[in-house]
Amino acid sequence: MLTVHSHGDVSELRFSTWRSRSVGFGVSAFVVRGVLVDTGFPDCAGDLARYLRASRPAGCIVTHFHEDHAGGVGAVVRAGVPVWMDARTAQRVCAPAPVGPYRRYTWGSPGPVGAVEPFAPPPALSCIATPGHADDHHVVWDGATGTVVGGDLFIGIKVRGAHRNERPRALVRSLRQCIALAPVRLFDAHRGIVDAPIPLLVAKVEWMERTLDAIDARIKRGDDDVTIARAILGNDWVTRVFTAGDYSTESFVAAVRSEP
Ligand SMILES: [Zn+2]
């Protein structure tokens, strides 16, 4: 299911299915200056294809390779719309690695992408590398309007779960970089529009720095990941069980431990 919401100069494309809603998820893509940023997830590729037939964007930018952002790239390519992606994103989107059953349940399985025509974003939009959530993560910055299309940079202030391959320290640096742009609007893939986002971004940085300090102190003491996760981040057994441990508080601690 796709619903389109107008925020003046930016359109929000909200994607969900009964399965994604059953676990509390949906995701948004955005159109800014006639450019589609992100593509929704595989199970919504048909909805995206119908949208592209009615309203053809000049091009598409993919913020990172996760299937809820890149799952519609095949539909975009088949619609003849050129795509900008980081080289790592392109490689993972064109030859996707297998994902866990919970991700297939929530988002579906990515299909073939085909030959991607490269897109050069207009000068008014900059793609800024913001690693942390994923190493290929980018935000899209529209300096003239103070707008950042943030992919999964923000999501929320206290995000206690993570995948093992996330880089929380890099995410803090990326958040600071975003704050330095002084955005007046943030479009978040899971929160929609966030007006006056700086206090929220600062709160996230502060929470993450406190959390990283507390985790580092316990790592130094010799505690294991489960003990640290329970003490500092709490017990998220529902998510842990649903994702078979892939996305969890322990993985957050493991990510901190493995990041220099
Ligand atoms: Zn993501």
Side-chain angles (χ1 to χ4, degrees), residues 111-134:
V113 165
V116 178
E117 183 193 338
F119 173 59
L125 298 178
S126 321
C127 300
I128 301 174
T130 44
H133 171 78

Side-chain angles (χ1 to χ4, degrees), residues 28 30 32 37-38 63-64 69 128 130 133 137-141 147-155 171 174-175 178 185-190 192 194 201:
S28 292
F30 299 92
V32 54
V37 181
D38 284 336
T63 59
H64 63 297
H69 299 257
I128 301 174
T130 44
H133 171 78
H137 192 280
H138 286 68
V139 299
V140 178
W141 172 238
T147 301
V148 65
V149 183
D152 280 347
L153 178 76
F154 176 63
I155 302 178
L171 177 56
S174 294
L175 286 161
C178 184
R185 280 189 308 186
L186 164 72
F187 288 98
D188 184 273
H190 297 284
V194 181
L201 293 166

Side-chain angles (χ1 to χ4, degrees), residues 9-241:
D9 57 319
V10 175
S11 297
E12 177 179 3
L13 279 56
R14 253 181 237 166
F15 296 98
S16 68
T17 59
W18 69 265
R19 281 213 303 230
S20 76
R21 290 191 297 275
S22 76
V23 287
F25 286 112
V27 72
S28 292
F30 299 92
V31 179
V32 54
R33 294 187 184 269
V35 174
L36 175 68
V37 181
D38 284 336
T39 67
F41 55 96
D43 280 352
C44 282
D47 293 324
L48 177 63
R50 275 187 292 281
Y51 173 84
L52 294 172
R53 278 198 290 276
S55 170
R56 195 177 183 281
C60 172
I61 294 169
V62 182
T63 59
H64 63 297
F65 76 101
H66 289 161
E67 64 273 23
D68 49 333
H69 299 257
V73 171
V76 171
V77 168
R78 282 188 290 282
V81 174
V83 181
W84 182 93
M85 290 185 275
D86 179 270
R88 291 161 293 186
T89 313
Q91 194 224 327
R92 294 163 189 171
V93 167
C94 294
V99 298
Y102 80 96
R103 283 169 67 172
R104 286 202 303 277
Y105 172 84
T106 307
W107 306 123
S109 296
V113 165
V116 178
E117 183 193 338
F119 173 59
L125 298 178
S126 321
C127 300
I128 301 174
T130 44
H133 171 78
D135 60 357
D136 63 338
H137 192 280
H138 286 68
V139 299
V140 178
W141 172 238
D142 182 340
T145 61
T147 301
V148 65
V149 183
D152 280 347
L153 178 76
F154 176 63
I155 302 178
I157 294 173
K158 299 180 182 180
V159 180
R160 293 183 169 83
H163 295 110
R164 220 157 256 273
N165 53 9
E166 291 188 31
R167 293 289 171 262
R169 298 182 218 279
L171 177 56
V172 169
R173 290 192 292 274
S174 294
L175 286 161
R176 286 194 178 286
Q177 198 183 343
C178 184
I179 292 165
L181 297 169
V184 296
R185 280 189 308 186
L186 164 72
F187 288 98
D188 184 273
H190 297 284
R191 300 282 293 260
I193 185 168
V194 181
D195 278 314
I198 290 179
L200 295 172
L201 293 166
V202 168
K204 184 178 180 79
V205 165
E206 288 173 352
W207 178 80
M208 286 199 70
E209 286 183 333
R210 275 198 310 276
T211 304
L212 292 174
D213 285 349
I215 291 172
D216 283 336
R218 285 198 170 241
I219 288 173
K220 220 169 174 180
R221 231 168 69 176
D223 288 353
D224 61 43
D225 290 356
V226 174
T227 306
I228 297 172
R230 294 292 174 280
I232 293 168
L233 298 164
N235 189 352
D236 66 339
W237 66 270
V238 175
T239 309
R240 189 172 65 253
V241 169

